[in-house]
Amino acid sequence: LVSVIREAAVEHKPLEVIGGGSRRGLGRPVSADHVLDMSGFSGIRTYEPEELVMIAGAGTPVTEISMALKEHGQMLAFEPLDHSGLLGTGEGPGTLGGMVGVGASGPRRFKAGSARDFVLGVKGVSGRAEAFKTGGRVVKNVTGYDMSKLVTGSFGTLAALTEINLKLAPAPEKIYTLLIYGLDDESAVAAMRDAAGSAFEPTGLAHLPKVVVGMSSVDYVSDSGQTVTAIRVEGPKISVRHRITSLATLIGEGHRVEELHSSRSLTLWREIRDCVPLLEPTSAHIWRVSMAPTDASALVSEVRPDAHYFDWAGGLSWFAFNEPETKAALQAAVLQQAVARKGGHAALVRAPLEARSMLNVFQPQEPGLAALTARVKESFDPLRILNPGRMYKKV
C-alpha cells in the first residue's frame, strides 16, 4: 500500500479510495486516475469479548463483524446506519473502513456517542505514503494527539485505513418502544426533550410526521394515519417495563399510546436509522441536518421540505425535496444559509452525480475553519492523492 500511494504521488495520479463501494455515492464525486480497492485488508484480527474490544481489517464487511458480536451478546453502540437502501446500491452495510470513514452514527448517537467515540485506534497510510499507527487497545493507552478521531468521518481524504480497533458494548436484554400519536413537530420535540431529560434513560427519540408513516413496515406506525413519536428504552426486562410505563405517564398523557416489543421495535429503529421514511420517490434530494433540537420545527417551517422526520430528540433532521434539478442550487443555498444562521450543519446525502458535482455537499465552512481544514489536508496529503474533492472542492 505504501508503494502504491508513493507511486501515485510521484506521478501525480489521484486515487479514489473505496472498500466495498456501498458508500461511493456519498460526498462529491472524486476525479481520480485509479481506484484504490481496500477490500483485501479484511478479517477480524483480534476479538476479546471480555474486554469489549475488537481489531479488524478496514475491508472487513460490517455484516461479518455484526455476526461475531451477536454470538457474544455484544454490539456497536453507535448503531451505524446502512446506506445501501438510501443510495440504491443494494450491497448491504459495506465495510468497517467505509463505516468509520463516513462516521456513520445512528439513532443511539445522542445517548451513546458517535462512531469516533468508539474508535480506539487505527493503522493506515497517509497521502505522503507514510505508514502510521495511532491509539491503542484500550482508552487509557491513547496519549498525545488522538488521530483516530480525526480520520473518522474524513471520507478517506486523509489516509487509507488498513486496520481499526473498536470499543464495543453489551447488547440490551430487551428493547421496547413507546409510540405517542398525534403530536405536531413542535410538541413532539418538546416531548422528546422531556424524555431525554428524565431519569428513564431513553436510547432512541424520533418523530415521524403523518406524510411519512406509511413508509414503515410496522403496522402500528403505517396504519396509524397520524404522526408518530417513538421513544426507545433498553435494558433488563423489569427495568424496561417500569421505565416505559413511567414515560407513558410522563409524556403520553392525553394522547393515544402503544408499545412495540421485540421484532417490531427492532424493525422501526432500523427504518429510522436507514432513512426508510424518505426513500420514495427515489428522485428526491435527501439532506441530513444537525442542529439544536429547539430549532428543528422552526427550520421545517422556513425551508418547507416535501417530507421530513426527526431523530436524536430533534437534533438530527432528515429532509427530502422533490423539486426539479433546475432548482437544486437555489434549494441548497436556502437550506444551508438557514442552517448556518442557527449554528447547524446540513449535508446532501442523496442526489444524482451531476448535482453532487455542482452543489456544496457539506455545509460551507467559515474562513477560519476552512483554512484549518486545508492545513490538516496538507499535513496528511499535500499532493491531494487520496479522494481529492470528496468533501470540499479544494480539499
Side-chain angles (χ1 to χ4, degrees), residues 21 53 180 226 381 390:
V53 170
I180 305 172
Q226 294 179 281
D381 184 17
R390 181 81 184 270

Side-chain angles (χ1 to χ4, degrees), residues 137-307:
R137 284 184 59 255
V138 293
V139 175
K140 65 182 179 182
N141 286 346
V142 178
T143 59
Y145 293 112
D146 192 353
M147 290 199 298
S148 305
K149 304 292 190 290
L150 184 63
V151 297
T152 302
S154 65
F155 281 72
T157 60
L158 301 180
L161 300 183
T162 59
E163 191 173 279
I164 297 166
N165 184 4
L166 294 169
K167 178 172 63 173
L168 310 172
E173 177 186 330
K174 293 293 180 181
I175 302 174
Y176 287 5
T177 300
L178 176 69
L179 303 181
I180 305 172
Y181 298 96
L183 299 179
D184 60 26
D185 282 356
E186 189 172 356
S187 299
V189 170
M192 291 189 291
R193 186 171 64 246
D194 289 344
S198 73
F200 306 120
E201 298 185 330
T203 63
L205 293 164
H207 175 67
L208 304 175
K210 184 178 177 180
V211 71
V212 302
V213 294
M215 287 294 293
S216 177
S217 61
V218 178
D219 51 1
Y220 281 74
V221 177
S222 59
D223 296 343
S224 67
Q226 294 179 281
T227 65
V228 175
T229 305
I231 302 174
R232 179 176 62 185
V233 177
E234 301 174 310
K237 183 175 182 179
I238 295 176
S239 171
V240 169
R241 178 73 269 157
H242 166 70
R243 286 183 285 146
I244 209 80
T245 302
S246 300
L247 280 166
T249 302
L250 175 68
I251 308 296
E253 188 173 359
H255 296 275
R256 177 191 163 203
V257 299
E258 294 285 356
E259 291 181 18
L260 300 181
H261 302 166
S262 307
S263 61
R264 279 192 176 98
S265 189
L266 289 169
T267 298
L268 176 61
W269 289 101
R270 185 169 60 248
E271 292 174 347
I272 292 169
R273 180 196 71 186
D274 297 342
C275 203
V276 169
L278 302 185
L279 292 187
E280 299 293 341
T282 56
S283 59
H285 288 197
I286 295 180
W287 290 81
R288 187 176 185 269
V289 180
S290 57
M291 61 195 309
T294 50
D295 292 325
S297 59
L299 182 65
V300 171
S301 299
E302 183 174 352
V303 302
R304 299 184 181 280
D306 292 286

Side-chain angles (χ1 to χ4, degrees), residues 122-140:
V122 299
K123 289 182 180 179
V125 179
S126 72
R128 294 177 179 270
E130 297 173 342
F132 67 90
K133 175 185 177 182
T134 179
R137 284 184 59 255
V138 293
V139 175
K140 65 182 179 182

Side-chain angles (χ1 to χ4, degrees), residues 81-124:
L81 64 106
D82 178 352
H83 287 91
S84 59
L86 188 61
L87 300 178
T89 60
E91 298 170 1
T95 63
L96 173 60
M99 178 187 76
V100 170
V102 303
S105 305
R108 201 179 282 107
R109 186 252 183 272
F110 83 97
K111 177 69 174 177
S114 66
R116 59 169 44 91
D117 296 310
F118 291 86
V119 177
L120 296 176
V122 299
K123 289 182 180 179

